[in-house]
Amino acid sequence: MWWRTRGAVENAVVAAQMRTFFKGLSAETRKAPRLVAQEYGKHLFHRRRRRLVDEKRFAASRFHVGIGVGADDFADLTKRAVLVSDTLLLSHNGAGERHHVRQIARDSSYIPQTEEQERTNVLPTGSDTTEDLWMHCPDPERLGRWLLQTEPLLRAGCAWYLPTYSVSRQTTNYGYVGDPIDAVYEGLDGPTTDSDVPSLLDFAATGRRVVAQSHTPAVLSQLVIPVIEELELPFIDGVSLEDFSKITVGEFDAYRAHRLWLRMELAGLDSALDAEGRQKELMKIGFRMQDSVRGMRAQMNQIRRKQAVAVTGAVVGTVTASLVAVYGPALQSALTAVVGGAAGGLWGAFQAGADNSPRTLRENAWYYVWTLSRTVDRNPLTPDDREAPARRR
């Protein structure tokens, strides 16, 4: 599959967990994004240790951490921030209602009955205590769609989502008073406590780079903010999140080359510039990007023209070689006069095809952007497409 491309791994810890998660998703579950979100929350929580799975290795990784990101901003922020991020970490950070994930513990305790109680069918006296895991999220349906649409990115360790968990405890007491028919069932809701899983702020506080929206000035990131808010990027604004994810992983070398170029461009921005000066510099970066994409388009068109000529030559050369094989060397001189020689026509055409293959450009930083742009040109994204659920797999 396209997401299993060799070398398409940004963060091995994240990639290993995400691939295990998606491998375990059934086709039926994929049809219900809300269930996908629930399964994701279940997968990342270690039931016995009550911690994030593989927590020590996660904690040792470096992430670009999304701060102040609303539920509606995940898709746009993912496409833009991934262009400069090593691994993007997003979370709702406790916002939204709680949603049940699973029961994580149950303990039952009953007082042994006497023979008389058993004979008269007296209900047993005792208690049941259960603990349930909850995930806080504004919209599990939307989260599930995001997970499905970004599957290639998650599998490659380019992005992941950190759930916010809490644990509730409930005890139900069973007993009777007086006559056996006066049974008493008493349910006691215990406290709901936050889990020990690190929060988004915990990850941000240990030196990770911050990805922030422009309305959170206290945690601005000089590198990422321009890409998210200010820089015009029509080649990703017009492509769906699902297509963006597939192309990014499918053209991983070109993606990395483009990310390095963009990082260097943004790192060169003078932090002392005022708003107007900053905008001018960003506009220049945008112009350089457009010019590079045009150059890549011209190269691809030139290669296609060469390939068309090469294929024609290959056909003629193949026919020539066949005739020589059948009728012998006696026809060699005549055929050379017509088509330039069997060997020359055949091998020359094959060599031209090898020298002018698009494969030689696939590691170019602008091949990735050209591929995104071509997708936009072929399948322009409508407003309805932005909210469309992931296609059924």
Side-chain angles (χ1 to χ4, degrees):
M1 301 293 286
W2 37 262
W3 56 68
R4 298 192 182 115
T5 304
R6 285 189 179 274
V9 174
E10 187 62 54
N11 183 307
V13 178
V14 174
Q17 286 297 335
M18 296 302 106
R19 292 181 184 192
T20 301
F21 163 67
F22 283 109
K23 183 179 180 180
L25 275 185
S26 67
E28 195 65 26
T29 300
R30 285 178 177 272
K31 297 177 182 179
R34 177 179 289 272
L35 294 181
V36 172
Q38 181 182 19
E39 290 299 315
Y40 183 89
K42 186 186 301 184
H43 173 74
L44 282 187
F45 188 84
H46 198 293
R47 183 177 180 179
R48 181 172 57 84
R49 296 179 181 174
R50 309 292 180 92
R51 306 286 296 185
L52 187 70
V53 295
D54 218 358
E55 185 169 307
K56 290 184 178 180
R57 298 182 67 198
F58 270 112
S61 300
R62 293 185 63 83
F63 306 113
H64 281 75
V65 181
I67 300 293
V69 184
D72 296 340
D73 302 323
F74 268 31
D76 288 340
L77 180 115
T78 299
K79 289 191 291 183
R80 287 176 167 262
V82 161
L83 292 182
V84 292
S85 301
D86 294 320
T87 298
L88 176 64
L89 169 55
L90 294 178
S91 175
H92 290 113
N93 205 35
E97 298 179 357
R98 69 175 191 173
H99 303 275
H100 190 260
V101 175
R102 69 182 305 172
Q103 184 181 99
I104 55 177
R106 180 174 182 176
D107 181 56
S108 299
S109 177
Y110 291 92
I111 299 174
Q113 291 180 296
T114 65
E115 293 183 1
E116 178 65 18
Q117 288 173 331
E118 291 181 351
R119 187 179 62 80
T120 56
N121 293 323
V122 173
L123 294 174
T125 300
S127 64
D128 275 335
T129 299
T130 59
E131 288 184 295
D132 290 275
L133 179 68
W134 305 81
M135 183 171 68
H136 296 255
C137 173
D139 189 343
E141 184 85 10
R142 188 187 293 268
L143 173 61
R145 289 200 301 269
W146 180 84
L147 291 168
L148 291 172
Q149 291 165 350
T150 58
E151 179 175 349
L153 294 178
L154 271 59
R155 281 178 172 270
C158 294
W160 67 294
Y161 174 81
L162 175 65
T164 303
Y165 295 107
S166 63
V167 177
S168 67
R169 183 183 179 93
Q170 184 181 49
T171 299
T172 302
N173 293 317
Y174 302 90
Y176 68 95
V177 177
D179 193 285
I181 65 172
D182 296 328
V184 175
Y185 298 89
E186 181 183 25
L188 301 175
D189 289 327
T192 297
T193 58
D194 295 333
S195 72
D196 292 330
V197 171
S199 70
L200 192 69
L201 295 178
D202 291 327
F203 279 102
T206 53
R208 276 72 175 178
R209 191 177 295 279
V210 169
V211 177
Q213 300 290 63
S214 60
H215 52 71
T216 52
V219 288
L220 289 182
S221 165
Q222 292 181 354
L223 178 62
V224 182
I225 280 294
V227 183
I228 300 172
E229 296 286 339
E230 302 171 29
L231 192 59
E232 291 187 10
L233 301 170
F235 60 89
I236 65 169
D237 292 337
V239 68
S240 71
L241 180 58
E242 189 172 13
D243 286 338
F244 173 84
S245 301
K246 291 179 180 179
I247 292 170
T248 298
V249 175
E251 306 298 344
F252 208 63
D253 291 335
Y255 153 70
R256 279 178 161 171
H258 177 70
R259 182 180 63 186
L260 178 60
W261 178 90
L262 191 53
R263 281 175 167 175
M264 291 190 295
E265 289 286 321
L266 294 173
L269 286 177
D270 188 347
S271 59
L273 289 174
D274 58 17
E276 184 177 353
R278 182 186 181 89
Q279 193 60 45
K280 287 182 179 179
E281 291 303 312
L282 289 172
M283 188 180 299
K284 291 179 184 178
I285 294 176
F287 287 154
R288 287 195 286 272
M289 294 175 76
Q290 293 175 29
D291 186 59
S292 297
V293 173
R294 280 195 294 268
M296 175 59 67
R297 185 177 294 115
Q299 282 183 279
M300 296 303 294
N301 289 337
Q302 183 180 25
I303 284 175
R304 283 169 178 162
R305 286 193 295 270
K306 288 182 179 180
Q307 284 184 323
V309 173
V311 169
T312 302
V315 172
V316 174
T318 301
V319 172
T320 301
S322 299
L323 290 173
V324 171
V326 174
Y327 294 104
L331 294 180
Q332 179 68 52
S333 59
L335 291 171
T336 299
V338 177
V339 297
L346 179 61
W347 297 112
F350 285 148
Q351 185 63 44
D355 291 343
N356 298 287
S357 170
R359 294 180 182 178
T360 61
L361 295 176
R362 289 191 65 173
E363 294 184 7
N364 187 293
W366 298 104
Y367 181 86
Y368 168 64
V369 182
W370 171 80
T371 305
L372 289 170
S373 301
R374 185 178 61 168
T375 303
V376 174
D377 294 339
R378 291 178 174 178
N379 306 296
L381 193 64
T382 66
D384 291 340
D385 292 332
R386 299 181 186 277
E387 289 300 318
R391 290 195 293 271
R392 304 293 186 241
R393 289 168 172 80

